[in-house]
Amino acid sequence: MIGPYVLPDDVFDALAAGAGGRPAVLLLLRARRSRNLLLLRRALDGPCGRAVEPAADLLAGVERVAPGAARSVIDGPAFGTWAARTLRDCPAHHRGGCAGRDLAALAVLAAVRAALPARVTVPVREGRLRLPGLGTVTGLGEVPEALVVVEAPAGAEGAPGTSAGSCRVRVLTAAGERVLPRDPSRPGHGWQPVAVLDARHRGLTLRLPLETAAPELPALETASAGPAAWQDLLRQAWELLVDNHPRRAEELAAGLNGIVPLPAPARGVASATSRHAFGTVLTSWPADPERLALTLLHEFQHSKLSALTDLVTLYEPGGRPRLYAPWRPDPRPPGGLLQGIYAHLGDLAFWQERSGSRHGPAQADAAWRLARTRAHVERGLTEAASHVRLTALGTRFLERLARTVRDGNRGGTGAGGGSGGERLARAVARVQAGDEAVWRLRWAAADDTGTERLAALWRAGRPAGPLPAEDVRAATGAVAGPGPEFGRWAARQRGAERARPAREAADAVLAAPDRAQGWAELAAAAAEEDRPGADVLRARTELVRDLCVRLTARQAARPPGTASPGPPDPLAPAAWLADPAVGPDPSGGGPAVDAAMPPGTAPPRPPDPLALAAWLANTAVGPGPSGGGPAADAARPPGTAPPRPPDPLALAAWSADPAVGPDPSGGGPAVDAAMPPGTASPGPPDSLAPAAWSADPAVGSDPSGGGPAAGAARPPGTASPGPPDSLAPAAWPADPAVGSDPSGGGPAPEEARPPGTASPGPPDPLALAAWPAGTAVGTDRSGAGPAAGEEEAVERAPQARGAHPARGPGRVGRGEPPEAGPAPGPPSGDGLAVPAESGSAQAPMEPARSPGPDPAADEGPVAPAPPGPGEGPTAGAEPGGGGAPGQKTGVSMSQNARSPLAKTSATG
């Protein structure tokens, strides 16, 4: 008979707050046991049924005489991973290597713990017979299987949950017989036992097998750190947890069931959780008790959330790994992002206590880790609120979680508040901004069409409009971290007063635009100085970089003899992108500026990257007179007079036609600001020029056509030019889709040239040839050919907004399509976890994601672990069925009446 589990409201809310307590863990453990029984039933009914049946019959016999022994195996580290692999991707249903046969090894463990006589055939692989929970028989040669015989004296009673007993275990193969030691926990010839670690403190006991024999888990033999070393380390870690985190220690005592030793990475500690092995922690040698204590807290959080998502649905399925998690070097799926947020609540509680109980350098280290962990969780909450399609329960879950983060921050960052706390917060913010910029340069790809559109708008002096949709690639294979260069920079931020000046960082980017480290420093500096476009530099770094590259490539095609400009200053495009309704900085190197430049003046400097970012960030603001919006005024050289207000007539005329941008020669702020001090106000424009300009609302006025701009830009002391050549103005209105030739094309430009200036050389033939190719495109005023895209329409899109659960609503992006939702795929975990189903372990990337005090170890690469014969461990959990707390709508987790374990209680 199948019945549903009921998750009470108070238990759900307690789990969402990060802890839950012992009752909640026991409920999750019973639910996971029922789930494993249902998986066993499915395996018996599936293609592997014949291979599974003998071991399932033995388990049923054990359950009749010793229910506790059967439960200890079903709850143990290896059962869930065996069931998942058998049902999902058994490699050989119809051949001798069927994964269902591995259940026999677990049945042997149950028989030994129950002291029940049994005979069962167990597969042998690579000369090894693995008996999870007991040990490994080695040196069996090239035999495919062995007969394991369990002999128990009449009336003997085993000790369920331990590896000791009074049974005699014989292993029979074609090559002979092996007899295991009477106490299986002791080593013997050809026998490597699974050690059982035992820790006791203040009435709380933790018993964990050091599992090295499970064929489904990528375990490491304990040669480098033997059972005695693990035992001593666990004892010290357990004392730390019981003394400082008693409620969480009670959870661990109720739910943890094993440690699987992993190979050590090059730096730091690798740890993981298999979503199918509730309560099992995979970790490399932690080296000190503090690291082990933090690892146990962190990984058990993963187990709790995986079991919870068996009962309730927190987000809608679907969606590929594309989300940013600051504790990971690779893009995450929705389930992996939520897993990382939840696991870091354990870290947050740990460092909160350590920062308050330590002194001196140890306290400063704990405060740094606390502040960074909190920043990670808050950034993860923002990402989840913006990009994960949460259910009603998922929203409630994250709101409770965010409340825990807010409540824990009431006492400040842990640095004592005041200037010390502010400095710590700035340092953390710098590292986060740089980390996200490096991540985006690695994984995000800018849309070529959208970037080219932005480049055309920049050259035309038009607002950026909606930003192109972002595209994040999925990671494949083992993933390394951002590298030692970023690690050294991040470590230096802990002792830095301020970031590198943004202006200096921008110059470094110009010198080496392909160096990711430079962009990281620029994003951090722009954020700390609150520069326009700082958000764009951090959240769309790849777009600003690609736009700068395109603008550089386009501007390089200048007339012969003209110096090639350097790459656009990233501050200008960033500021421009930050405000999509504002045109680019008129002094940022676009064609309109070149045409209006007085003869003999030096070409403008490349656009400032901060201005470009600010332009992209705000779609509703026009260009500032000094280059890229209001913030550009602050960047005006000292001693320069502020720009005059715009001419009301020009402003009225411009507003009258919404399809035309402001006339760069029409007396607006840009022209007045560019007029040399002491120069007389220009006279009225030539009558033909305004008429031609009005004839085509999609074309701006000719900056060399005798309008106000030409007069305003005239150097002091130069004579007023004569009227334009009648042929030139007459020819210009004839084709309303083509702008006037900025080089004059006739006698008028010659007359208007100041006395003593040389006659201009012939235009570049390549530019001249390219210009007639499209009659709807004006010439590039810098001589390089058609000013493509100057009149391209800017399509507006509604802003996408999201709310930060911990900080309230906030603007998170513009013009981005709604999240398609998480896609089914390998779930994965956070920075301490092995990537989803990959079998590779990751070295933590930074202090908050790596247990222990060594900051240098936190930036190590992801070290691959040897793949096991089954699925790799993962901390991610895809939600199971739906349900709501307090209602009988959860996934049924009780046994099936057809199960061979017919007497096992449905609810445990």
Side-chain angles (χ1 to χ4, degrees):
M1 177 178 180
I2 295 178
Y5 269 92
V6 176
L7 185 64
D9 288 321
D10 58 339
V11 173
F12 177 85
D13 290 338
L15 288 169
R22 179 183 175 87
V25 170
L26 291 177
L27 185 149
L28 295 177
L29 181 61
R30 292 193 300 270
R32 179 52 65 97
R33 182 185 307 147
S34 292
R35 175 183 184 269
N36 287 344
L37 289 172
L38 289 174
L39 294 178
L40 175 59
R41 179 71 264 168
R42 285 184 59 192
L44 285 167
D45 294 340
C48 296
R50 296 184 62 182
V52 173
E53 189 171 3
D57 289 342
L58 177 55
L59 269 179
V62 170
E63 193 250 355
R64 284 191 292 270
V65 299
R71 283 199 300 268
S72 70
V73 171
I74 295 169
D75 296 343
F79 192 94
T81 52
W82 164 82
R85 181 170 183 255
T86 300
L87 292 172
R88 188 185 65 246
D89 57 357
C90 176
H93 286 305
H94 305 294
R95 301 192 297 275
C98 176
R101 300 166 64 234
D102 290 325
L103 180 63
L106 297 173
V108 170
L109 174 63
V112 169
R113 288 179 173 176
L116 179 70
R119 297 171 64 90
V120 64
T121 300
V122 182
V124 175
R125 295 185 176 89
E126 299 177 352
R128 293 173 173 246
L129 175 67
R130 296 182 179 273
L131 301 173
L134 289 176
T136 303
V137 181
T138 61
L140 294 181
E142 300 295 327
V143 296
E145 59 187 21
L147 178 65
V148 180
V149 179
V150 179
E151 299 174 350
E157 295 183 359
T162 72
S163 57
S166 58
C167 298
R168 182 169 182 259
V169 181
R170 302 162 54 211
V171 178
L172 306 176
T173 66
E177 177 182 0
R178 294 277 187 91
V179 179
L180 304 188
R182 180 69 69 173
D183 181 359
S185 64
R186 295 183 175 275
H189 176 67
W191 173 247
Q192 298 174 355
V194 169
V196 177
L197 310 179
D198 190 299
R200 304 169 188 267
H201 187 60
R202 293 189 176 181
L204 281 179
T205 300
L206 190 65
R207 296 180 59 84
L208 300 175
L210 192 63
E211 185 60 77
T212 56
E216 306 293 336
L217 297 170
L220 172 73
E221 295 178 5
T222 58
S224 58
W230 279 97
Q231 172 66 53
D232 185 60
L233 198 66
L234 180 65
R235 178 185 57 79
Q236 298 177 62
W238 187 239
E239 291 175 0
L240 187 156
L241 289 170
V242 173
D243 288 341
N244 301 304
H245 306 277
R247 190 181 185 198
R248 291 183 181 270
E250 291 176 357
E251 291 185 0
L252 296 176
L256 278 183
N257 59 22
I259 293 178
V260 178
L262 294 176
R267 305 174 73 183
V269 175
S271 66
T273 303
S274 171
R275 58 178 296 227
H276 303 295
F278 179 86
T280 303
V281 174
L282 292 78
T283 179
S284 61
W285 175 247
D288 63 69
E290 185 177 77
R291 288 183 178 229
L292 180 57
L294 178 59
T295 300
L296 296 179
L297 286 178
H298 181 100
E299 299 302 338
F300 192 61
Q301 290 288 107
H302 285 308
S303 284
K304 290 194 296 183
L305 185 56
S306 295
L308 178 64
T309 53
D310 288 339
L311 301 176
V312 297
T313 302
L314 300 180
Y315 63 92
E316 297 180 17
R320 57 192 178 88
R322 62 179 296 271
L323 305 180
Y324 173 67
W327 51 85
R328 288 283 302 214
D330 52 344
R332 311 307 301 142
L337 177 64
L338 295 181
Q339 280 281 350
I341 294 171
Y342 193 67
H344 276 79
L345 285 188
D347 300 13
L348 202 60
F350 183 85
W351 292 119
Q352 182 80 46
E353 185 278 329
R354 301 305 278 173
S355 65
S357 61
R358 290 178 157 196
H359 303 281
Q363 191 276 337
D365 179 77
W368 166 264
R369 294 172 185 273
L370 172 63
R372 194 157 189 201
T373 301
R374 178 174 289 112
H376 282 169
V377 175
E378 290 175 348
R379 180 65 182 89
L381 287 169
T382 300
E383 188 80 354
S386 304
H387 298 295
V388 178
R389 297 163 61 189
L390 298 168
T391 63
L393 280 179
T395 301
R396 174 177 164 184
F397 183 84
L398 284 192
E399 287 174 350
R400 301 295 193 280
L401 194 156
R403 186 182 307 164
T404 299
V405 177
R406 288 195 302 269
D407 293 345
N409 196 30
R410 286 177 180 172
T413 62
S419 60
E422 294 173 1
R423 178 178 175 181
L424 179 62
R426 288 199 307 269
V428 169
R430 285 196 297 269
V431 175
Q432 277 211 296
D435 191 29
E436 188 164 356
V438 170
W439 185 90
R440 292 206 64 86
L441 288 176
R442 182 173 188 183
W443 298 110
D447 176 65
D448 288 341
T449 303
T451 309
E452 184 58 39
R453 177 186 66 84
L454 289 173
L457 291 171
W458 169 271
R459 297 187 191 100
R462 300 281 297 279
L467 302 190
E470 61 180 355
D471 181 24
V472 176
R473 301 180 294 268
T476 57
V479 177
E485 183 184 29
F486 181 82
R488 289 190 293 268
W489 174 81
R492 289 196 302 271
Q493 301 314 302
R494 296 180 63 172
E497 269 305 325
R498 304 277 309 171
R500 184 181 191 179
R503 179 68 270 149
E504 183 180 325
D507 292 339
V509 165
L510 292 177
D514 293 329
R515 181 173 170 262
Q517 179 61 32
W519 288 97
E521 295 186 21
L522 178 59
E528 188 163 27
E529 295 179 14
D530 198 21
R531 292 281 192 130
D535 290 342
V536 175
L537 271 171
R538 172 177 177 165
R540 298 302 301 272
T541 318
E542 79 292 349
L543 179 60
V544 179
R545 182 190 63 179
D546 286 9
L547 181 57
C548 286
V549 171
R550 285 178 185 271
L551 291 175
T552 303
R554 184 62 179 270
Q555 290 179 352
R558 287 181 176 264
T562 311
S564 176
D569 185 338
L571 295 177
W576 177 61
L577 294 172
D579 194 336
V582 181
D585 181 351
S587 63
V593 175
D594 291 344
M597 197 162 55
T601 52
R605 60 176 299 172
D608 186 317
L610 282 181
L612 265 182
W615 177 67
L616 285 173
N618 191 332
T619 58
V621 184
S626 60
D633 290 345
R636 198 165 49 246
T640 319
R644 293 176 53 188
D647 181 2
L649 293 178
L651 203 58
W654 174 58
S655 304
D657 191 343
V660 183
D663 183 2
S665 64
V671 175
D672 289 345
M675 193 161 58
T679 315
S681 177
D686 180 89
S687 55
L688 288 179
W693 177 55
S694 304
D696 192 340
V699 182
S701 60
D702 182 4
S704 64
R714 195 165 57 250
T718 51
S720 175
D725 180 14
S726 56
L727 292 179
W732 177 50
D735 191 343
V738 183
S740 59
D741 183 1
S743 63
E750 302 289 334
E751 296 175 11
R753 194 167 54 252
T757 50
S759 175
D764 186 326
L766 291 179
L768 206 56
W771 174 53
T775 58
V777 182
T779 56
D780 183 355
R781 296 166 177 85
S782 60
E790 289 192 3
E791 305 305 329
E792 186 171 338
V794 179
E795 182 177 339
R796 307 290 180 183
Q799 294 180 353
R801 296 181 180 269
H804 188 313
R807 293 180 173 173
R811 181 160 133 188
V812 296
R814 295 179 314 284
E816 297 180 6
E819 181 67 36
S828 45
D830 72 340
L832 292 178
V834 173
E837 315 292 31
S838 67
S840 66
Q842 175 189 328
M845 294 284 304
E846 36 69 36
R849 59 185 103 136
S850 165
D854 179 13
D858 295 328
E859 301 296 341
V862 178
E871 65 174 0
T874 169
E878 293 297 330
Q887 299 180 3
K888 293 189 176 183
T889 55
V891 173
S892 298
M893 290 297 159
S894 56
Q895 70 182 49
N896 188 296
R898 299 173 58 196
S899 169
L901 310 183
K903 292 187 178 181
T904 300
S905 167
T907 61

